[in-house]
Amino acid sequence: MHLRKRALVTGGAGFIGSFLCEQLLAAGHDVLCVDNFYTGTKDNIAHLLDNPHFELLRHDITFPLYVEVDEIYNLACPASPVHYHFDPVQTTKTSVHGAINMLGLCKRVKATILQASTSEVYGDPAVHPQPESYWGNVNPIGPRSCYDEGKRCAETLFFSYRQQHKLRIKVARIFNTYGPRMHINDGRVVSNFIVQALKNEPISLYGDGGQTRSFCYVDDMVQGLVSLMNTTDEFTGPVNLGNPTECTIGQLADKVIALSGSKSKLVHKPLPSDDPRQRRPDVALACRALGWEPATSLEQGLAKTIAYFEQVLRRGSRHGTTG
Ligand code: NAD
Ligand code: UDP
Ligand code: UDP
């Protein structure tokens, strides 16, 4: 018999969260989307508002929340460096106070809770690729620390609540994820490069472009998060979720230019401080424990993302604005 579960998705109006809400509804669950629209937008979930199994609540998770649910996916947190810098205190509060509130809620209703942690817990990694056992290399007072240390503290809180209150927890360490519905001004590399390429404007390459990342398409990420939630109570993670195909940022720029048929040229800009030099997930644990691995190649995912931004720009220019 299919059991309809009540899932809470914090940050559900954001990029990854909105796809997760869709996926959970498609699987036959009730979804409560909680978001304060800091970086997310109603447009991401407008198509779900007519579904009687979907509810939207405007709420900031740094404040207590009393609802009845079976599963909590805690995704609320600005994720792009531009956005988390903008209000660093609120960023850390969202990770830390937000985690405490969601864990308190989980404890009261005896739910299962999943934390959207990040590869940023590894900082500028001295071990490559990064396995879950690596403790990281994080600057506690640098420009990224409001995000990195907030997320690290949230992981600590998850494991402390498990130890002290026997909560069912799951911690996913998400590596760079991209796809449609990324915020057009979000500042992350994939959306920046695609928007610049589509406008035939210079592509802003920070540093020499030799730094690496490994990009995961959003559909694969959502599958990974749902698979993690469905593991047995003993399995907590942390588990890396990401695509292990690594490329330099320079190579990414070339691919975006080629796939979008752009006339854009590269322009070098200063590398932000503490920008990790290399990043690639070791996904052996995800493979073994979740039977999960990403299925979408960078070319396939970029093509879908380019098609999305083409539409957004076309709509924007009709309304006299392009973002
Ligand atoms: P996003 O900015 O699109 O989504 C975050 C959502 O959280 C937004 O809708 C925002 O309005 C909401 N939010 C922020 N603060 C809130 C608060 N205090 N209360 C309620 N809602 C709040 O970013 P995303 O890329 O979809 O990221 C989702 C989660 O995944 C984040 O926790 C992020 O740290 C994590 N993550 C993402 C990536 C990535 O590459 N996309 C990588 C690592 C980790
Ligand atoms: N909390 C919440 N919703 C709930 C239960 C708790 O938001 O349904 C918040 C509550 O405000 C508290 C936090 O979660 O500050 C942590 O809860 P916990 O029970 O661990 O702490 P306590 O209430 O004992 O301080
Ligand atoms: N980057 C870039 N141009 C941009 C935006 C980002 O060259 O317009 C670089 C950035 O310096 C970093 C990489 O791309 O090395 C990924 O940046 P992003 O902000 O997307 O994610 P994160 O650094 O958090 O992995």
Side-chain angles (χ1 to χ4, degrees):
M1 194 188 70
H2 168 70
L3 260 189
R4 182 178 283 280
K5 289 193 198 132
R6 298 162 303 176
L8 163 61
V9 180
T10 76
F15 156 53
I16 301 177
S18 61
F19 285 101
L20 178 61
C21 289
E22 262 175 30
Q23 174 64 36
L24 293 168
L25 287 167
H29 303 305
D30 284 330
V31 174
L32 171 59
C33 166
V34 164
D35 205 295
N36 67 350
F37 302 115
Y38 183 61
T39 52
T41 133
K42 276 195 193 150
D43 293 339
N44 287 342
I45 38 133
H47 59 296
L48 304 178
L49 292 172
D50 284 342
N51 186 326
H53 295 289
F54 181 78
E55 268 179 286
L56 172 63
L57 178 65
R58 179 193 288 263
H59 173 79
D60 179 331
I61 62 156
T62 62
F63 296 100
L65 175 68
Y66 286 82
V67 291
E68 310 306 314
V69 292
D70 306 303
E71 290 180 343
I72 304 167
Y73 288 88
N74 189 35
L75 271 65
C77 188
S80 100
V82 173
H83 285 145
Y84 62 68
H85 270 160
F86 178 72
D87 188 343
V89 173
Q90 173 67 10
T91 299
T92 307
K93 277 187 186 169
T94 295
S95 279
V96 177
H97 292 184
I100 291 173
N101 286 327
M102 292 309 103
L103 287 160
L105 167 64
C106 179
K107 178 180 142 201
R108 182 180 60 80
V109 300
K110 300 186 174 50
T112 305
I113 185 165
L114 181 150
Q115 168 67 357
S117 190
T118 169
S119 52
E120 290 281 327
V121 300
Y122 301 124
D124 189 3
V127 170
H128 193 71
Q130 293 79 56
E132 290 83 355
S133 55
Y134 177 50
W135 291 355
N137 176 31
V138 175
N139 178 353
I141 54 168
R144 290 179 173 249
S145 53
C146 61
Y147 182 74
D148 298 10
E149 297 291 19
K151 290 283 188 179
R152 285 169 68 95
C153 183
E155 285 200 11
T156 307
L157 283 162
F158 268 64
F159 281 88
S160 298
Y161 266 82
R162 175 169 174 88
Q163 187 200 343
Q164 210 169 320
H165 300 298
K166 311 283 174 282
L167 258 53
R168 286 192 295 268
I169 64 156
K170 315 279 176 192
V171 174
R173 290 186 178 152
I174 300 175
F175 282 65
N176 296 67
T177 301
Y178 71 99
R181 296 189 201 148
M182 291 182 89
H183 198 290
I184 194 160
N185 293 325
D186 135 322
R188 280 182 278 191
V189 69
V190 174
S191 44
N192 269 11
F193 283 5
I194 291 179
V195 172
Q196 290 161 347
L198 289 175
K199 292 179 170 175
N200 291 309
E201 286 173 359
I203 304 274
S204 54
L205 197 60
Y206 300 164
D208 63 4
Q211 69 273 36
T212 70
R213 294 292 186 273
S214 308
F215 295 98
C216 184
Y217 188 63
V218 64
D219 288 356
D220 289 330
M221 182 53 59
V222 166
Q223 286 306 330
L225 293 172
V226 172
S227 305
L228 174 58
M229 182 60 99
N230 291 335
T231 50
T232 58
D233 293 354
E234 292 67 46
F235 188 79
T236 58
V239 58
N240 290 337
L241 294 180
N243 190 315
T245 310
E246 184 179 358
C247 74
T248 68
I249 298 304
Q251 287 165 340
L252 175 75
D254 293 341
K255 274 195 209 306
V256 169
I257 291 174
L259 285 166
S260 57
S262 172
K263 298 190 192 66
S264 294
K265 298 273 174 281
L266 306 181
V267 47
H268 288 271
K269 299 237 168 122
L271 187 70
S273 55
D274 291 354
D275 197 283
R277 186 71 204 156
Q278 53 182 7
R279 180 182 290 157
R280 166 157 55 104
D282 177 335
V283 290
L285 177 61
C287 243
R288 210 168 52 241
L290 317 181
W292 174 87
E293 65 192 328
T296 315
S297 70
L298 186 55
E299 284 73 15
Q300 289 166 332
L302 284 176
K304 290 184 191 179
T305 313
I306 290 168
Y308 167 81
F309 278 110
E310 267 172 346
Q311 239 183 42
V312 171
L313 290 175
R314 220 175 295 130
R315 241 185 353 242
S317 60
R318 264 206 312 275
H319 295 120
T321 133
T322 46

